[in-house]
Amino acid sequence: MDSVHSLVPLASRVCVAFASLLIAACSGNGDGLDGNGRPLVPGGSPPPPLSADFESLQANIFTPICSVCHVGSSAPEGLRLDAADSFNLLVGVPSTEVPSLMRVKPGDPDNSYIIQKLEGHQAVGRQMPFGCPTTQPCLPTTTIAFIRQWITNGAPPSATAAAAATVHAAAPLAITSIVPDDVEPVSVSPPQIVIAFNHDLDVTQIDSRSMHIERQDPGASPVASEIVPARVTVSSANLRALMVWPSRPLSAGHYRLVMNAGSPSQFSDIAGHSLSVGVPNELGESVISTFDVEVLP
């Protein structure tokens, strides 16, 4: 789990402060905390039993604890751990702090960066959750053991997602999410753009240099004021997540992700289904998505 930057985005600082106050109100002798060190909510429904499957980990750990800060446009290191995005941003995705390590490497918990961050022996940054151990509890070893076991088991998706994939195996290939998107600006340069699909992609049809990122100035002509080359990858650990890596950090501005001229604007899954993506720009290239970067001072 990548750490918070030295300049934590304002929204993240607010989340951290709120979480710290909430934890502090329940800390001390442990009264008011559940077995995961999480504040009990009066009248709230108890979470499902913690087990070594992704659905349980999301409900017990990622959503209530990690996504206090790792959510939305201000998520540190671009790592969103809400239910909609966490799997595709964890499994098979290189850490932005230590790119030689995956955030989650299926079958290998010791070399999964999330484990190193949670256990506190990471090479970069600080132990997670943020504030551990000074302002909020670290995850107990017994809790981390469930994440370890899930990774040892191959880091499969939730049973609900797996069942849905089986039911909809014959459904057309489609994009299920893009992070970041045009819904809200990101507060720091995104380390990668992740395009999630509903089927496993045929990686033999993907050109690692098929996309670029264009910056457009407000009120200017539609022609890009800056072109940022990008690298396209799909991890064998997660064939449904296509990652686009900018060759350099993106400054504040409006951007669009574009297929290079001459590159096919289609993706195919391993069953042979194809999907045409994007809308033509002024040069006839396909624009996959648009987003804004608002780098905070």
Side-chain angles (χ1 to χ4, degrees), residues 15 23 93 96 98 111 120 122 157 159 246 255 262 288:
C15 288
I23 294 291
V93 178
T96 58
V98 184
N111 287 307
Q122 69 285 345
Y255 292 89
I288 309 301

Side-chain angles (χ1 to χ4, degrees), residues 1-6 70 76-77 79 93-101 103 113-114 116-117 122-128 191-192 245:
M1 192 176 304
D2 294 352
S3 71
V4 180
H5 288 137
S6 58
H70 282 273
E77 308 294 346
L79 176 54
V93 178
S95 160
T96 58
E97 290 185 334
V98 184
S100 61
L101 293 177
R103 288 168 172 164
Y113 198 53
I114 187 174
Q116 297 183 12
K117 294 291 281 189
Q122 69 285 345
V124 179
R126 63 199 310 167
Q127 187 174 2
M128 290 286 119
Q192 74 276 317
W245 305 85

Side-chain angles (χ1 to χ4, degrees), residues 165 168-169 171-177 196-201 240 269 275:
H168 299 292
L173 178 63
I175 292 174
T176 58
S177 68
F197 294 81
N198 61 338
H199 296 168
D200 289 353
L201 294 173
R240 298 189 178 194
D269 63 16
L275 170 68

